[in-house]
Amino acid sequence: MAAKNREGGSQPTINDVARIAGVSKKTVSRVINGSPLLNEDTRKRVQEVIRELGYVPNPQARALALRRNFLIGLVHDNPNAQTVLKVQQGILEAIRDTEFELVVRPVDRGMVNMLDDIRQFLERQRLFGVVLMPPISENDSLAELCRQIGCRYVRMGSAELDDPTNMVASNDREAVRDAIRYLIGEGHRRIGFVSGPHGFRSALERRLGFEEALEEADLKLPRSMVADGNYTFESGLLAAERLLDLSPRPTAIFASNDEMATGVLQAARRRGMDVPRDLSIVGFDDTPIASHIWPPLTTVRWPIATMARSAALKLTVSVTEGEQEVDEPSMFLSTLIRRGSVAAPPHN
Amino acid sequence: MAAKNREGGSQPTINDVARIAGVSKKTVSRVINGSPLLNEDTRKRVQEVIRELGYVPNPQARALALRRNFLIGLVHDNPNAQTVLKVQQGILEAIRDTEFELVVRPVDRGMVNMLDDIRQFLERQRLFGVVLMPPISENDSLAELCRQIGCRYVRMGSAELDDPTNMVASNDREAVRDAIRYLIGEGHRRIGFVSGPHGFRSALERRLGFEEALEEADLKLPRSMVADGNYTFESGLLAAERLLDLSPRPTAIFASNDEMATGVLQAARRRGMDVPRDLSIVGFDDTPIASHIWPPLTTVRWPIATMARSAALKLTVSVTEGEQEVDEPSMFLSTLIRRGSVAAPPHN
DNA sequence: TCGTTATGGGAAACCGGTGTCACAAGCAAG
DNA sequence: CTTGCTTGTGACACCGGTTTCCCATAACGA
């Protein structure tokens, strides 16, 4: 029993520290948690022992006693690796130097009992809170589920779908409107649009931005100028083929994300068209690929990492800052990044 | 006290189940853990109550009592989002339907006290085990650290740097040798090589594969045919510029990863060269970008997700399978994927 | 009939922390 | 010299599980 802390491999516990320092567990606990009513000498002595033993509090025991753990979950069904990783980065930045950790949980979009799966995850792990990434964050039932089982959550999305304390949103609609305005300003009159998948709020918002800009400029375009995509490279390629088959064909195409924009570029290249001379292209997201293809893609930069960071802060701030609600913004502005894929339309 | 399980929001505990089912905690515990010495009636009754209450065991309490938790860590400093995400996918696949969860921990490569940072992470969280991704997995001090503090680990890498139980490796060297053989077979005699950064084992192995293939074919190339890169797009572009400035210039370039290969493609394009007519290019990794650029990139596919899955299984199998060591392989084969970026060299 | 053994299940300790409350010491005020 | 308050500390219960040990009961053989 006296040699308890010498057992091979096992880490020292608060009892070991208390015994060696000649104080009670509680006092050690006070030192760890920085309680103000502590004799300076005692604190020093205990800290000395802690350092000597290399004592680290057991997070599981702590979580049990506090009835709360320090795990933030990231639930997502987003297929884009860049985006997912940026979100992870953002969250990690927010919880750096705190005792929180990040647990990732991708879910299958198609799965029938996806909600059950997530419910199980949340109930089993009893996470401190979860960040919900688009597109699954747009699912109101999921938010309702979180509320039901009493799990804090913050949704990331392209519109304000929830209370500001549970939401970080980007202004996709306005950003796209600006992008289309820019194309119109460059002289384009026939602008194709590659949409995101049906049922995605981001797809809808971007589409609405497109339509608002056209309306604003009093530009009437045939329905055929809008082609459906689903955020994948291939769908962008196919959509572009349809658009470029039109006569007269568009002089510019806005794709609702970069991956599809890359597909559009591919389609143009296959027809021997030069970008931007024969066709201007604008994407959305500003993923790394946007600046690595030729010509570099004019695109809308979506401050995804910042949003994720803010989302995580919203979750954790109640703990780290006490009651003082440092209010994180809930709206984030996307901006147009002008690169080389847009030019004035060709004379015809 | 009788209404304990009715408190708003808080989940029912094993005590609630025991009380309502009219048995002891221990019996409930036995039901949960599938103990064989249990009356079938008792089991049924307890299970009924569990279902009724929606009882879920508290993982923190469980972890505390078992002196072991169910978190797998992923420590990485890999800048490539695709790769990192594939590794995450692989691990998650391995722990699907188990009680394990994945905690991610990116670290800054440059940080001076990186090892201290990781040590803190491991000691604080007391993870069940960690998967170490390249390039940080090549760091022997890190492995030593894990051993020291008694944390299970599996390293992913491009050579067998550790005991097979702690290692999953890919045969980069042979894969590159095959790729170069293929180029030689197509008629190339002047082959440029864009290396990965110094000090990376994967960079070294790929380089060695290149040299072995040359030697095999009795091909002597000037030192200038090897240009240094650091796995980034830009470095690939710069390296290619140097190689293409040579006279005579290479008719084919092998880049040690796809991102640099994309840079090489860019450099060729800037000079008005046609790929593969004027220059053949081969990459490594088979990231999505490889098939999204034009021409689609011939590259080496590295079974990264499979390796990660295997790594996670190696960690967890001791628990899930009892003593029966289902031995996961520790070597994984990379294979050449032939696409459109290689052709016979131009006649000159 | 009586020990002996196998089986099902409970009481209590334990894992490693935190919360509550009591209490002692020191000191100022009455 | 009390009284009352502040400050520092410890004893003990508790969080929600698992483990150890032990007992009650039934079945069995002698």
Side-chain angles (χ1 to χ4, degrees), chain B residues 175-197:
Chain B
V176 173
R177 202 165 58 203
D178 287 351
I180 304 296
R181 272 184 195 151
Y182 167 61
L183 285 174
I184 293 173
E186 290 290 303
H188 292 275
R189 290 296 172 269
R190 291 193 308 282
I191 304 174
F193 183 86
V194 182
S195 75

Side-chain angles (χ1 to χ4, degrees), chain B residues 118 178 191 219 272 294 344:
Chain B
I118 299 179
D178 287 351
I191 304 174
L219 223 54
W294 192 257

